[in-house]
Amino acid sequence: MQRINAHLHSKNTPPYVINLDPAVLNVPFESNIDIRDSVNYEEVMKQYNLGPNGGILTSLNLFATKVDQIVNLLEKRSKPDPENPDRKPIDRILVDTPGQIEAFVWSASGTILLESLASSFPTIIAYIIDTPRTASTSTFMSNMLYACSILYKTKLPMILVFNKTDVKDASFAKEWMTDFEAFQDALRRDENSDTFGGQEGFGSGGSGYMGSLLNSMSLVLEEFYSHLSMVGVSSRVGTGIDEFFEAVEEKRKEFLEDYLPELERRREEREERKKKTREQELDKMMQGMSVDVNNVAEKRPIKVTNDDDDVDVPSDNDDDDDEDDETTREGLQARYAAAMEGKDEGILGDASFAKYLHMQR
């Protein structure tokens, strides 16, 4: 975050920075929106009797209740300000999420935050991988499975960022992702060198469980690799940052070309379903009202005056009654339809990218 933030500042295109990690003590960049300004992580743990992960999750849940205000602010900042024409609209928004993947990706608050952002802006996931720690086939495959789960959970364009390339070059990862035979050779080397720990059934020249599992997973993930962009960077020395932003631009176009049409299609389907639901509710209500009106009309007397007595007799003027009933019904129908049209479900109910992709009717 610090490196890409500094890079954008050096290009005179400062980003809008959001920190969503409530437990971090210090960050090496200035945040425009910081969850720590709204939620006290330590107090949350004390008040709710939670551990570290539970405290992060609850803090995110509390923060997510204000997501509509955050998105409204971001939308306002992304447009020119008539009152302050010298202030440039923001072009990029950087969001630093908690390092605990499960606390963000698989939580309701993380889903709400991602969906809300994706409903208003082209949104790309950058999955950061520690390159020196993923040099073995087992840790590499573990990272790929994590990435695969995040991709299919968020359904957003993703970039694999192999960090710390100043310590270890990431060319081996690109080779393993694009060349199946190269990964198989590396897998055999790891098995023969007892990299899997020498446990019974896990090693010994390709016949172990771990080798068989990794071999099968590499076949399964071959299609998954084709949908990803992979870049190697060094946050310490700054190499590969330009390539990272080139990949971001490619994924932005992919979002607009592939994801946005799907969003619009789902939005139209949702609006059509809402319209049909309103019509069905209106029909049911009007049918019920029609029954009530007819029951009252059948029992309503009229008073006729003659020279002898005042007599109450049933009304035979059905046409006038029907006319009055129809007028009343139309007026109520118009008011009810107007009320239904005026419903406002807020930003979470209005549009969210992932929600449309998950919708099935």
Side-chain angles (χ1 to χ4, degrees), residues 263-275:
L263 169 63
E264 295 296 338
R265 185 180 68 82
R266 293 289 185 179
R267 180 177 295 162
E268 291 174 1
E269 289 180 356
R270 182 170 178 266
E271 289 301 321
E272 186 64 27
R273 285 196 294 269
K274 286 172 62 178
K275 183 179 178 181

Side-chain angles (χ1 to χ4, degrees), residues 113-130:
L113 290 164
L114 276 178
E115 289 179 349
S116 301
L117 289 172
S119 69
S120 299
F121 308 98
T123 306
I124 294 98
I125 303 292
Y127 179 57
I128 317 301
I129 298 171
D130 191 321

Side-chain angles (χ1 to χ4, degrees), residues 97-246:
T97 66
Q100 291 84 346
I101 294 174
E102 67 282 357
F104 183 79
V105 175
W106 297 101
S107 66
S109 55
T111 301
I112 290 170
L113 290 164
L114 276 178
E115 289 179 349
S116 301
L117 289 172
S119 69
S120 299
F121 308 98
T123 306
I124 294 98
I125 303 292
Y127 179 57
I128 317 301
I129 298 171
D130 191 321
T131 306
R133 293 181 180 273
T134 193
S136 71
T137 53
S138 56
T139 53
F140 173 82
M141 189 57 63
S142 176
N143 270 294
M144 294 302 103
L145 291 175
Y146 259 128
C148 184
S149 66
I150 294 171
L151 176 67
Y152 288 104
K153 176 63 170 66
T154 62
K155 296 190 182 296
L156 292 170
M158 176 182 282
I159 302 172
L160 296 183
V161 183
F162 284 83
N163 193 18
K164 302 183 182 179
T165 54
D166 55 305
V167 178
K168 182 174 180 58
D169 187 77
S171 57
F172 74 92
K174 187 172 184 178
E175 185 181 23
W176 288 355
M177 291 174 63
T178 56
D179 189 343
F180 177 76
E181 294 298 330
F183 182 81
Q184 295 299 307
D185 292 340
L187 181 59
R188 283 190 289 269
R189 287 196 301 270
D190 284 350
E191 289 177 323
N192 292 329
S193 62
D194 205 22
T195 301
F196 301 142
Q199 301 179 31
E200 184 178 354
F202 278 75
S204 65
S207 60
Y209 170 76
M210 182 63 79
S212 176
L213 174 63
L214 295 180
N215 181 62
S216 300
M217 291 308 303
S218 64
L219 287 169
V220 171
L221 294 179
E222 190 171 8
E223 178 67 18
F224 164 70
Y225 294 147
S226 63
H227 293 88
L228 296 178
S229 293
M230 175 265 180
V231 294
V233 304
S234 171
S235 295
R236 189 175 71 86
V237 300
T239 56
I241 301 300
D242 287 325
E243 289 78 5
F244 168 74
F245 280 107
E246 289 174 4

